[in-house]
């Protein structure tokens, strides 16, 4: 295509970070109740610690054993800026912090006063700012709890789009960004910060330009680029067209591994993208990878397996929003604090094509059937419902199971499922079998500090060798691919994982791969990129 003077493409290595209060946004920062507790018990505590002891943080960040810990990565500097962000958070998020305190107060009241009798009289003791947003409940063992009317919270002052912003940058090296849960994004000469809510359509207009050229002056104006920002902004654009995507036209199925848990499944008529986490193109790399340029112009279905920050990556999803026809998400626990509603979250930030799926519920299409499969483990024994494995039955008789981080704790469940769905052809299985302890991700939501030995026993963990072998025994796949390990260097800033050959997930997955090969099953642990075609 011949471009006029003001028409450009967006470079393929332009990244967007969705930010809330200048922290890398993930689903628990979008939902108001979980956001309140994460700001209170994660962000403010990390910033407080850094302000008091920046040198401790600087040393910890350099220690590989501390990777993923609550340490700010600014080399002990920029303390005044962190103090400024801390003060600004206390000021601008005062009502949200009050809401978080009220949630903890409500829990204490219920634990102290709900003794199995009717809860009707306790509604008058609900903190005033929670009135109308909660229902008081017992479980069948008479343990008191509450559930949230989450939709109403999104319509209240506690959901504040003014806290949302985006940053744009050129990614020019793998593993170049600080861990997302620990380091806020301060101003930087290589970043452009823009106060734009996540639902804004201008984000779609910008990222369409990675594929279709657009008018530079128009997008600059719509984004509100200042005179000071423009020299860097100009560097984000090029006259060079990206390579043309070649759609799969065969009679079978093509699968492409993009890293971590992200897999593209294509037939000549339909495409599925599982847990989108896409790397960038346009810079020298040691590891080959597929990028956004290797995706179809339209993605028929995006499948989300569960609500963790490395499987719902807003950075990728916002770039792809204009290409996605449908998103399938697991249905949630309907108001449980630890299980915010994914459909509601996606709808609120501009995704209007979200389908909820329950355990063993199917979506039938002309060329395939997608079935949600129970997902065990990975959530530290919390009552989290928003998690599904996906069984894709293509009508050329190929059956693929994406088990993600599901841990086969109770094989009887999958034996029952096998009686319904039968053998499969391809198994994608996560084997990050160590996993972080419960409080690493869910600690801010817990009213009481968990004893360390209990915390360490409840892990965010997938299958080990025996659990993986059991799935192979049950479903008898012809191909087994170990994935979702966070191995790729461009994922460290999200996963905080760096393995050695002695790391238990590597040892256990090696055993499973060897076991499969000895049985005549094609098996490997995926890394970087992989294309497999089935005819």
């Amino acid at each position: 295509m011949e471009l006029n003077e003001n028409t450009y493409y967006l470079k393929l290595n332009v990244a967007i970070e969705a930010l809330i209060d200048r922290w890398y946004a993930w689903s628990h920062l979008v939902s108001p109740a979980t956001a309140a507790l994460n700001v209170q018990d994660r962000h403010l505590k990390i910033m407080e610690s850094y302000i008091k002891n920046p040198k401790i943080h600087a040393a910890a960040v350099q220690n590989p054993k501390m990777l993923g810990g609550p340490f700010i990565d600014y080399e002990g500097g920029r303390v005044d800026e962190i103090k400024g962000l801390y003060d600004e958070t206390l000021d601008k998020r005062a009502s949200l912090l009050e809401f978080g305190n009220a949630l903890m107060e409500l829990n204490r009241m219920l634990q102290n006063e709900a003794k199995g009798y009717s809860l009707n009289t306790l509604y008058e003791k609900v903190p005033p700012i929670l009135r109308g947003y909660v229902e008081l409940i017992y479980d069948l063992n008479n343990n008191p709890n509450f559930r949230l009317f989450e939709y109403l919270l999104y319509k209240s002052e506690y959901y504040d789009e003014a806290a949302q912003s985006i940053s744009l940058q050129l990614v020019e090296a793998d593993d170049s960004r600080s861990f997302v849960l620990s380091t806020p994004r301060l101003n930087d000469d290589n970043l452009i910060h823009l106060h734009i809510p996540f639902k804004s359509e201008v984000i779609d207009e910008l990222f369409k330009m990675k594929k279709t050229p657009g008018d530079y002056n128009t997008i600059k104006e719509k984004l509100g680029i200042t005179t000071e920002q423009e020299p860097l902004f100009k560097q984000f654009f090029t006259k060079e067209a990206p390579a043309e995507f070649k759609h799969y036209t065969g009679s079978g199925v093509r699968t492409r591994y993009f890293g971590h848990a992200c897999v593209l499944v294509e037939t000549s008529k339909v495409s599925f993208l599982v847990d989108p986490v896409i790397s960038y193109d346009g810079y020298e790399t040691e590891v080959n990878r597929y990028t956004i340029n290797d995706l179809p112009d339209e993605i028929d279905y995006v499948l989300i397996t569960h609500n963790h920050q490395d499987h719902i990556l807003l950075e990728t999803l916002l770039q792809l929003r204009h290409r996605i026809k449908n998103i399938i998400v697991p249905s949630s626990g309907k108001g449980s604090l630890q299980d915010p509603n994914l459909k509601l979250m996606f709808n609120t930030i501009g995704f209007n094509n979200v389908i909820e799926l329950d355990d063993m519920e199917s979506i039938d299409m002309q060329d395939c059937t997608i079935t949600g499969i129970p997902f065990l483990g990975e959530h530290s024994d919390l009552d989290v419902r928003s998690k599904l494995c996906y069984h894709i039955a293509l009508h050329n008789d190929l059956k693929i199971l994406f088990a993600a981080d599901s841990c086969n704790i109770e094989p009887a469940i999958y034996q029952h499922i096998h009686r319904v769905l039968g053998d499969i052809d391809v198994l994608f299985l996560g084997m990050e079998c160590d996993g972080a302890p419960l409080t690493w991700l869910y600690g801010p939501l817990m009213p009481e500090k968990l004893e360390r030995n209990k915390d360490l026993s409840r892990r965010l963990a997938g299958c080990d060798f025996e659990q993986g072998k059991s799935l192979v025994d049950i479903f008898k796949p012809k191909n087994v691919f170990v994935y979702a390990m966070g191995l790729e260097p461009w994922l460290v800033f999200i996963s905080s994982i760096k393995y050695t050959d002695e790391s238990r997930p590597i040892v256990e997955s090696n055993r499973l791969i060897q076991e499969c090969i000895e049985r005549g099953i094609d098996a490997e642990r995926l890394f970087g990129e992989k294309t497999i075609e089935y005819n």
Side-chain angles (χ1 to χ4, degrees):
M1 179 186 294
E2 189 174 335
L3 306 183
N4 66 37
E5 182 181 352
N6 289 317
T7 304
Y8 290 85
Y9 292 94
L10 187 66
K11 289 181 179 177
L12 295 177
N13 59 328
V14 173
I16 179 175
E17 288 194 346
L19 306 175
I20 294 178
D21 301 318
R22 286 297 187 100
W23 290 78
Y24 194 91
W26 62 294
S27 53
H28 279 210
L29 291 188
V30 179
S31 179
T34 51
L37 297 173
N38 272 278
V39 171
Q40 181 182 71
D41 201 62
R42 190 188 302 275
H43 297 173
L44 290 176
K45 285 186 175 181
I46 291 174
M47 289 190 287
E48 268 182 3
S49 172
Y50 189 77
I51 292 163
K52 291 177 182 176
N53 297 293
K55 290 183 180 179
I56 291 177
H57 284 245
V61 167
Q62 297 303 313
N63 185 346
K65 293 181 179 180
M66 298 291 188
L67 196 64
F71 305 108
I72 290 178
D73 185 13
Y74 283 116
E75 299 179 339
R78 310 189 72 170
V79 177
D80 289 345
E81 292 173 79
I82 295 294
K83 179 65 164 61
L85 181 60
Y86 177 86
D87 292 339
E88 183 179 333
T89 303
L90 287 176
D91 178 37
K92 292 187 176 181
R93 303 291 262 169
S95 63
L96 186 72
L97 293 169
E98 185 182 4
F99 184 84
N101 287 329
L103 289 173
M104 294 295 109
E105 181 185 340
L106 172 61
N107 182 75
R108 286 191 294 271
M109 183 273 288
L110 288 173
Q111 300 307 314
N112 291 332
E113 301 195 32
K115 302 299 183 184
Y117 297 99
S118 170
L119 295 170
N120 290 356
T121 58
L122 296 185
Y123 276 88
E124 63 189 26
K125 296 185 178 183
V126 171
I129 66 172
L130 294 182
R131 298 274 177 89
Y133 293 122
V134 298
E135 178 186 14
L136 308 184
I137 57 174
Y138 287 116
D139 66 18
L140 291 177
N141 290 309
N142 291 318
N143 298 308
N145 205 337
F146 61 89
R147 75 179 189 96
L148 298 156
F149 297 112
E150 200 175 349
Y151 176 89
L152 298 178
L153 291 178
Y154 275 106
K155 300 300 181 182
S156 73
E157 65 181 297
Y158 307 116
Y159 179 71
D160 183 7
E161 282 187 347
Q164 297 178 6
S165 64
I166 64 170
S167 73
L168 301 173
Q169 62 184 293
L170 284 169
V171 174
E172 298 182 308
D174 289 337
D175 195 15
S176 61
R177 289 185 271 173
S178 302
F179 180 56
V180 297
L181 296 184
S182 300
T183 300
R185 279 23 184 172
L186 302 178
N187 290 338
D188 189 287
D189 290 341
N190 298 313
L191 299 178
I192 292 178
H193 283 283
L194 300 169
H195 289 284
I196 293 174
F198 302 157
K199 71 180 183 184
S200 174
E201 292 181 0
V202 72
I203 295 173
D204 303 317
E205 292 183 45
L206 175 64
F207 284 96
K208 282 178 184 177
M209 292 174 68
K210 283 194 173 181
K211 191 75 173 175
T212 305
D215 186 83
Y216 171 82
N217 290 331
T218 299
I219 197 67
K220 179 185 73 171
E221 183 179 342
K222 287 186 175 182
L223 288 169
I225 300 298
T226 66
T227 302
E228 293 76 18
Q229 292 171 328
E230 188 170 7
L232 177 58
F233 187 66
K234 278 185 176 178
Q235 297 178 33
F236 295 169
F237 296 87
T238 179
K239 292 286 188 179
E240 184 178 349
E244 186 175 348
F245 175 76
K246 294 182 179 179
H247 290 270
Y248 179 70
T249 57
S251 60
V253 179
R254 180 172 73 183
T255 64
R256 278 185 165 172
Y257 172 71
F258 279 70
H260 196 45
C262 182
V263 180
L264 174 68
V265 180
E266 297 173 278
T267 72
S268 60
K269 296 180 180 179
V270 67
S271 59
F272 310 89
L273 187 64
V274 183
D275 287 344
V277 178
I278 308 296
S279 181
Y280 294 96
D281 204 349
Y283 60 96
E284 290 188 10
T285 61
E286 295 182 1
V287 181
N288 292 335
R289 81 285 308 272
Y290 293 123
T291 68
I292 199 167
N293 204 38
D294 298 297
L295 292 171
D297 298 339
E298 282 193 337
I299 301 164
D300 293 300
Y301 293 91
V302 161
L303 310 180
I304 301 294
T305 59
H306 61 295
N307 191 2
H308 286 166
Q309 83 282 359
D310 55 331
H311 293 260
I312 298 179
L313 194 68
L314 297 183
E315 174 174 334
T316 293
L317 287 163
L318 288 175
Q319 292 186 60
L320 297 179
R321 182 168 57 193
H322 67 279
R323 298 194 192 190
I324 298 169
K325 293 173 70 174
N326 300 281
I327 297 182
I328 298 177
V329 301
S331 62
S332 72
K334 309 300 183 193
S336 299
L337 175 62
Q338 72 278 7
D339 195 14
N341 187 293
L342 284 177
K343 181 179 180 181
L344 187 54
M345 186 273 292
F346 275 119
N347 286 164
T348 304
I349 62 172
F351 293 82
N352 301 313
N353 46 359
V354 185
I355 302 166
E356 284 188 324
L357 206 61
D358 283 318
D359 291 336
M360 300 309 295
E361 186 177 10
S362 296
I363 298 173
D364 291 310
M365 289 163 282
Q366 182 179 356
D367 296 299
C368 71
T369 300
I370 302 173
T371 304
I373 302 297
F375 181 136
L376 301 183
E378 177 64 8
H379 294 78
S380 304
D381 304 316
L382 294 174
D383 182 14
V384 173
R385 314 289 178 86
S386 55
K387 54 185 183 180
L388 281 178
C389 306
Y390 289 101
H391 180 279
I392 300 178
L394 294 143
H395 290 178
N396 64 353
D397 292 330
L398 186 74
K399 296 180 179 180
I400 307 173
L401 177 59
F402 291 96
D405 294 331
S406 183
C407 184
N408 185 21
I409 303 162
E410 176 48 271
I413 292 174
Y414 293 106
Q415 290 166 354
H416 294 316
I417 292 168
H418 179 262
R419 284 199 293 272
V420 177
L421 296 174
D423 293 347
I424 61 173
D425 297 289
V426 187
L427 172 64
F428 286 88
L429 177 65
M431 294 188 68
E432 210 299 271
C433 53
D434 277 348
L438 163 65
T439 56
W440 184 78
L441 201 63
Y442 292 100
L445 310 184
M446 302 184 72
E448 302 292 336
K449 188 173 181 179
L450 193 64
E451 296 171 32
R452 181 165 174 76
N453 60 337
K454 293 179 180 177
D455 188 26
L456 292 174
S457 78
R458 296 170 62 181
R459 315 292 294 204
L460 301 160
C463 286
D464 61 16
F465 165 70
E466 292 293 343
Q467 292 160 339
K469 183 168 75 71
S470 176
L471 281 176
V472 172
D473 292 338
I474 292 167
F475 287 107
K476 304 175 183 62
K478 300 179 182 70
N479 296 104
V480 173
F481 297 111
V482 176
Y483 80 144
M485 301 282 279
L487 288 165
E488 288 79 14
W490 61 86
L491 291 165
V492 175
F493 83 107
I494 302 162
S495 67
S496 76
I497 292 172
K498 284 189 176 180
Y499 294 123
T500 68
D501 290 342
E502 290 73 39
S503 298
R504 185 165 168 260
I506 300 300
V507 172
E508 294 289 294
S509 57
N510 283 343
R511 290 181 65 197
L512 182 66
I513 292 163
Q514 184 61 37
E515 173 75 16
C516 289
I517 291 171
E518 289 174 359
R519 296 186 187 188
I521 299 169
D522 289 336
E524 68 176 286
R525 186 174 54 239
L526 298 177
F527 177 69
E529 68 177 31
K530 176 80 173 182
T531 294
I532 315 104
E533 293 193 15
Y534 302 92
N535 296 313

